[in-house]
PDB file of all heavy atoms in Angstrom:
ATOM      1  N   GLY A  15      23.006  13.442 -23.803  1.00  0.00           N
ATOM      2  CA  GLY A  15      24.008  14.386 -23.561  1.00  0.00           C
ATOM      3  C   GLY A  15      23.519  15.646 -22.767  1.00  0.00           C
ATOM      4  O   GLY A  15      22.381  15.651 -22.367  1.00  0.00           O
ATOM      5  N   SER A  62       0.044  21.838 -24.331  1.00  0.00           N
ATOM      6  CA  SER A  62      -0.461  22.033 -22.957  1.00  0.00           C
ATOM      7  C   SER A  62      -0.258  20.811 -22.071  1.00  0.00           C
ATOM      8  O   SER A  62       0.054  19.710 -22.672  1.00  0.00           O
ATOM      9  CB  SER A  62      -1.923  22.322 -22.977  1.00  0.00           C
ATOM     10  OG  SER A  62      -2.676  21.324 -23.718  1.00  0.00           O
ATOM     11  N   LEU A  66       1.289  15.222 -12.528  1.00  0.00           N
ATOM     12  CA  LEU A  66       0.994  14.397 -11.382  1.00  0.00           C
ATOM     13  C   LEU A  66       2.249  13.927 -10.791  1.00  0.00           C
ATOM     14  O   LEU A  66       3.073  13.070 -11.443  1.00  0.00           O
ATOM     15  CB  LEU A  66       0.134  13.203 -11.793  1.00  0.00           C
ATOM     16  CG  LEU A  66      -0.216  12.163 -10.695  1.00  0.00           C
ATOM     17  CD1 LEU A  66      -1.126  12.810  -9.680  1.00  0.00           C
ATOM     18  CD2 LEU A  66      -0.922  10.912 -11.322  1.00  0.00           C
ATOM     19  N   LYS A  86      -7.763  10.434 -18.377  1.00  0.00           N
ATOM     20  CA  LYS A  86      -9.086  10.292 -19.124  1.00  0.00           C
ATOM     21  C   LYS A  86      -9.873  11.666 -19.031  1.00  0.00           C
ATOM     22  O   LYS A  86     -10.432  12.093 -20.028  1.00  0.00           O
ATOM     23  CB  LYS A  86      -9.870   9.161 -18.530  1.00  0.00           C
ATOM     24  CG  LYS A  86      -9.368   7.804 -18.839  1.00  0.00           C
ATOM     25  CD  LYS A  86     -10.256   6.659 -18.340  1.00  0.00           C
ATOM     26  CE  LYS A  86      -9.866   5.349 -18.869  1.00  0.00           C
ATOM     27  NZ  LYS A  86     -10.518   4.251 -18.217  1.00  0.00           N
ATOM     28  N   TRP A 119      -4.604  -3.517 -13.793  1.00  0.00           N
ATOM     29  CA  TRP A 119      -3.860  -4.640 -13.082  1.00  0.00           C
ATOM     30  C   TRP A 119      -4.003  -5.901 -13.978  1.00  0.00           C
ATOM     31  O   TRP A 119      -3.148  -6.819 -13.927  1.00  0.00           O
ATOM     32  CB  TRP A 119      -4.263  -4.857 -11.699  1.00  0.00           C
ATOM     33  CG  TRP A 119      -3.319  -5.777 -10.987  1.00  0.00           C
ATOM     34  CD1 TRP A 119      -3.620  -7.055 -10.718  1.00  0.00           C
ATOM     35  CD2 TRP A 119      -1.946  -5.501 -10.614  1.00  0.00           C
ATOM     36  NE1 TRP A 119      -2.478  -7.636 -10.062  1.00  0.00           N
ATOM     37  CE2 TRP A 119      -1.482  -6.690 -10.024  1.00  0.00           C
ATOM     38  CE3 TRP A 119      -1.139  -4.383 -10.647  1.00  0.00           C
ATOM     39  CZ2 TRP A 119      -0.200  -6.795  -9.513  1.00  0.00           C
ATOM     40  CZ3 TRP A 119       0.200  -4.450 -10.155  1.00  0.00           C
ATOM     41  CH2 TRP A 119       0.598  -5.649  -9.654  1.00  0.00           C
ATOM     42  N   ILE A 139      18.164   8.706 -13.342  1.00  0.00           N
ATOM     43  CA  ILE A 139      19.025   7.766 -12.658  1.00  0.00           C
ATOM     44  C   ILE A 139      19.271   6.538 -13.669  1.00  0.00           C
ATOM     45  O   ILE A 139      18.356   6.101 -14.290  1.00  0.00           O
ATOM     46  CB  ILE A 139      18.334   7.222 -11.349  1.00  0.00           C
ATOM     47  CG1 ILE A 139      19.164   6.091 -10.747  1.00  0.00           C
ATOM     48  CG2 ILE A 139      16.916   6.864 -11.506  1.00  0.00           C
ATOM     49  CD1 ILE A 139      18.656   5.672  -9.311  1.00  0.00           C
ATOM     50  N   ARG A 161       4.640  -7.049  -9.484  1.00  0.00           N
ATOM     51  CA  ARG A 161       4.612  -7.836 -10.703  1.00  0.00           C
ATOM     52  C   ARG A 161       4.887  -6.942 -11.913  1.00  0.00           C
ATOM     53  O   ARG A 161       4.688  -5.736 -11.937  1.00  0.00           O
ATOM     54  CB  ARG A 161       3.198  -8.472 -10.893  1.00  0.00           C
ATOM     55  CG  ARG A 161       2.817  -9.503  -9.900  1.00  0.00           C
ATOM     56  CD  ARG A 161       3.670 -10.764 -10.003  1.00  0.00           C
ATOM     57  NE  ARG A 161       3.259 -11.803  -9.088  1.00  0.00           N
ATOM     58  CZ  ARG A 161       3.826 -12.020  -7.883  1.00  0.00           C
ATOM     59  NH1 ARG A 161       4.819 -11.271  -7.479  1.00  0.00           N
ATOM     60  NH2 ARG A 161       3.398 -13.040  -7.077  1.00  0.00           N
ATOM     61  N   THR A 193      24.140  -1.677  -9.366  1.00  0.00           N
ATOM     62  CA  THR A 193      23.789  -3.052  -9.015  1.00  0.00           C
ATOM     63  C   THR A 193      22.736  -3.576  -9.932  1.00  0.00           C
ATOM     64  O   THR A 193      22.815  -4.756 -10.459  1.00  0.00           O
ATOM     65  CB  THR A 193      23.461  -3.195  -7.550  1.00  0.00           C
ATOM     66  OG1 THR A 193      24.482  -2.594  -6.703  1.00  0.00           O
ATOM     67  CG2 THR A 193      23.287  -4.676  -7.095  1.00  0.00           C
ATOM     68  N   HIS A 271      12.083  -9.032  -6.049  1.00  0.00           N
ATOM     69  CA  HIS A 271      10.824  -8.244  -5.957  1.00  0.00           C
ATOM     70  C   HIS A 271      10.002  -8.423  -4.724  1.00  0.00           C
ATOM     71  O   HIS A 271       9.327  -7.494  -4.260  1.00  0.00           O
ATOM     72  CB  HIS A 271      10.007  -8.461  -7.250  1.00  0.00           C
ATOM     73  CG  HIS A 271      10.560  -7.870  -8.497  1.00  0.00           C
ATOM     74  ND1 HIS A 271      10.212  -8.235  -9.753  1.00  0.00           N
ATOM     75  CD2 HIS A 271      11.303  -6.748  -8.607  1.00  0.00           C
ATOM     76  CE1 HIS A 271      10.871  -7.400 -10.590  1.00  0.00           C
ATOM     77  NE2 HIS A 271      11.552  -6.569  -9.975  1.00  0.00           N
ATOM     78  N   MET A 289      21.582 -11.637  -5.367  1.00  0.00           N
ATOM     79  CA  MET A 289      22.310 -12.312  -6.442  1.00  0.00           C
ATOM     80  C   MET A 289      23.342 -13.372  -5.951  1.00  0.00           C
ATOM     81  O   MET A 289      23.347 -14.515  -6.393  1.00  0.00           O
ATOM     82  CB  MET A 289      22.999 -11.303  -7.364  1.00  0.00           C
ATOM     83  CG  MET A 289      22.124 -10.767  -8.382  1.00  0.00           C
ATOM     84  SD  MET A 289      23.042  -9.783  -9.608  1.00  0.00           S
ATOM     85  CE  MET A 289      23.440  -8.380  -8.681  1.00  0.00           C
ATOM     86  N   HIS A 299      24.452 -26.077 -11.676  1.00  0.00           N
ATOM     87  CA  HIS A 299      23.720 -26.420 -12.890  1.00  0.00           C
ATOM     88  C   HIS A 299      24.574 -26.238 -14.129  1.00  0.00           C
ATOM     89  O   HIS A 299      24.303 -26.928 -15.188  1.00  0.00           O
ATOM     90  CB  HIS A 299      22.511 -25.355 -12.892  1.00  0.00           C
ATOM     91  CG  HIS A 299      21.648 -25.531 -14.148  1.00  0.00           C
ATOM     92  ND1 HIS A 299      20.936 -26.605 -14.436  1.00  0.00           N
ATOM     93  CD2 HIS A 299      21.501 -24.689 -15.165  1.00  0.00           C
ATOM     94  CE1 HIS A 299      20.244 -26.425 -15.632  1.00  0.00           C
ATOM     95  NE2 HIS A 299      20.682 -25.250 -16.059  1.00  0.00           N
ATOM     96  N   VAL A 309      36.435 -15.819 -15.168  1.00  0.00           N
ATOM     97  CA  VAL A 309      37.753 -15.574 -15.877  1.00  0.00           C
ATOM     98  C   VAL A 309      37.653 -14.393 -16.750  1.00  0.00           C
ATOM     99  O   VAL A 309      38.522 -13.446 -16.666  1.00  0.00           O
ATOM    100  CB  VAL A 309      38.048 -16.860 -16.711  1.00  0.00           C
ATOM    101  CG1 VAL A 309      39.286 -16.560 -17.608  1.00  0.00           C
ATOM    102  CG2 VAL A 309      38.319 -18.043 -15.803  1.00  0.00           C
ATOM    103  N   HIS A 320      39.349 -28.068 -11.027  1.00  0.00           N
ATOM    104  CA  HIS A 320      38.294 -27.805 -10.082  1.00  0.00           C
ATOM    105  C   HIS A 320      37.569 -26.533 -10.540  1.00  0.00           C
ATOM    106  O   HIS A 320      37.705 -25.487  -9.987  1.00  0.00           O
ATOM    107  CB  HIS A 320      38.908 -27.576  -8.685  1.00  0.00           C
ATOM    108  CG  HIS A 320      39.694 -28.664  -8.193  1.00  0.00           C
ATOM    109  ND1 HIS A 320      39.186 -29.953  -7.712  1.00  0.00           N
ATOM    110  CD2 HIS A 320      40.972 -28.852  -8.048  1.00  0.00           C
ATOM    111  CE1 HIS A 320      40.090 -30.723  -7.452  1.00  0.00           C
ATOM    112  NE2 HIS A 320      41.240 -30.097  -7.604  1.00  0.00           N
ATOM    113  N   ASN A 379      11.587 -24.419  -6.745  1.00  0.00           N
ATOM    114  CA  ASN A 379      10.298 -24.569  -6.052  1.00  0.00           C
ATOM    115  C   ASN A 379      10.334 -23.921  -4.715  1.00  0.00           C
ATOM    116  O   ASN A 379      11.295 -23.231  -4.401  1.00  0.00           O
ATOM    117  CB  ASN A 379       9.873 -26.028  -5.849  1.00  0.00           C
ATOM    118  CG  ASN A 379      10.906 -26.826  -5.117  1.00  0.00           C
ATOM    119  OD1 ASN A 379      11.600 -26.204  -4.223  1.00  0.00           O
ATOM    120  ND2 ASN A 379      11.040 -28.091  -5.319  1.00  0.00           N
TER     121      ASN A 379
END
Side-chain angles (χ1 to χ4, degrees):
S62 58
L66 179 65
K86 284 183 174 172
W119 190 255
I139 172 172
R161 292 291 182 266
T193 309
H271 280 163
M289 275 191 292
H299 174 69
V309 171
H320 306 286
N379 62 26

